[in-house]
Structures are given as structure tokens and as C-alpha cells.
Amino acid sequence: MDESEVKEKKKKVRKGYSVILTLRDLEILEFILDMKFASIEDIFEKFFKVTLAGEEAKSNEWAVRRLQQLAKAGYLKGVHSFSERTKFYLATIKAYQEVSRNKPEEEVLKPSRVIDHRTFDHDRLVLEARIMLENKRAASCWVSDKKLRSSTELSGDSR
């Protein structure tokens, strides 16, 4: 088997990778669609910090594994910000389609293609504030500024 055949075989394996999405996976995808992007730590804090047994998780290992699986299956894309070494995940069109299919009654936001560096600091602070407030149960039913801008009903725009 020559080098080109090995590369072609690897491509086929990657394209065929799939995962069975759980309710938590759909919530993660919807969260990232809503907030534009999220880091491993953000997802850990929001979705994995408390285990199914109700105990505090000892590490973010399960969050890392699941995000890698979702990325490998094509639901997420890992990117780096120009100003931080942290890896952030963006949802893909595949994630958008899956969340839309599972929540037909809700408006699902289209994925961001890239991190907008002009609004990165603001978006990051809003994301951190949301997680902190929701974890303290000081906020619920969060409506992101991305959703506010995209919805004529919520923004009051009657064009």
C-alpha cells in the first residue's frame, strides 16, 4: 500500500465516523450555536461539572472526550482565537441541521463560520457571565444577543 492509498483510506474512515447524539449533546450543540463558540472549560462548567451521580467531577476528561467525538463526527470545528491559546469550538452546519430536526418548534441559530475578533472579548465575557449566572441559578431561559439580533419578534423589528 503506497502513501496515497493510506491517505485515501484515512479520509474514508474520518468521513464515516458517527456518534449517537444524546440529549446532552443536543443541548451542547444548541448552546454553542447560541453563544457563537465555547471552550472545553465552558462546556465542562455548563454540562459536565456535576456527574450523573450528583457529585462534582474530578476533571474535565469526559468533556474533552465528548467534544473530540462530536468534532470528529462533523458537528463541531475546533479553532484558536488570535489572542488566546485556548481552543474554542464552533458548531457546524451539520450541528445546526441536527438541532433543527430535533427542535422543529424552536428557532435554531445558524452557526458562526469563524470567531469574530472584533467582538471576541465581549462574546467571551457574555459567555462566562451566562455560565456563572445559570450555575448559581440566578438566571434561566437565557436569550443571547445573537438570538435577539436574529429574531424580529424578540427585537421588536417589524420590517
Side-chain angles (χ1 to χ4, degrees):
M1 196 181 277
D2 69 4
E3 191 175 328
S4 64
E5 289 175 320
V6 170
K7 286 182 182 177
E8 188 62 33
K9 195 170 187 176
K10 284 183 180 179
K11 282 183 186 177
K12 287 180 183 175
V13 170
R14 284 195 185 121
K15 285 184 181 180
Y17 187 85
S18 65
V19 295
I20 296 172
L21 294 176
T22 65
L23 180 58
R24 178 169 62 183
D25 294 333
L26 291 168
E27 289 172 355
I28 291 169
L29 296 176
E30 185 175 21
F31 177 79
I32 295 173
L33 285 164
D34 204 29
M35 300 308 295
K36 301 179 188 174
F37 59 84
S39 70
I40 291 168
E41 283 305 313
D42 298 328
I43 298 302
F44 170 73
E45 282 293 320
K46 175 99 174 112
F47 298 99
F48 290 87
K49 188 161 184 141
V50 177
T51 67
L52 296 175
E55 300 169 355
E56 191 164 319
K58 294 177 181 25
S59 76
N60 68 358
E61 180 184 351
W62 291 109
V64 170
R65 284 185 187 186
R66 195 55 178 172
L67 290 173
Q68 287 172 343
Q69 290 170 343
L70 292 172
K72 204 172 189 180
Y75 294 105
L76 298 174
K77 176 175 76 169
V79 297
H80 290 276
S81 164
F82 74 101
S83 63
E84 294 188 27
R85 293 178 55 140
T86 304
K87 185 178 196 175
F88 294 96
Y89 285 94
L90 300 171
T92 64
I93 197 71
K94 185 176 180 180
Y96 166 76
Q97 291 167 340
E98 193 64 37
V99 174
S100 296
R101 190 174 65 74
N102 281 279
K103 294 191 169 197
E105 72 286 350
E106 289 185 29
E107 177 188 4
V108 178
L109 299 172
K110 293 200 171 153
S112 301
R113 291 192 174 116
V114 295
I115 291 176
D116 186 345
H117 299 296
R118 298 169 298 171
T119 61
F120 175 76
D121 289 333
H122 168 266
D123 295 338
R124 185 86 187 111
L125 289 171
V126 170
L127 175 63
E128 290 171 0
R130 176 183 178 173
I131 292 169
M132 182 195 64
L133 290 169
E134 287 180 344
N135 283 350
K136 290 183 177 183
R137 303 207 190 303
S140 62
C141 302
W142 188 276
V143 179
S144 70
D145 51 338
K146 183 179 176 187
K147 190 170 272 187
L148 285 171
R149 282 194 304 278
S150 72
S151 172
T152 56
E153 183 180 317
L154 293 172
S155 67
D157 190 359
S158 60
R159 285 186 240 173

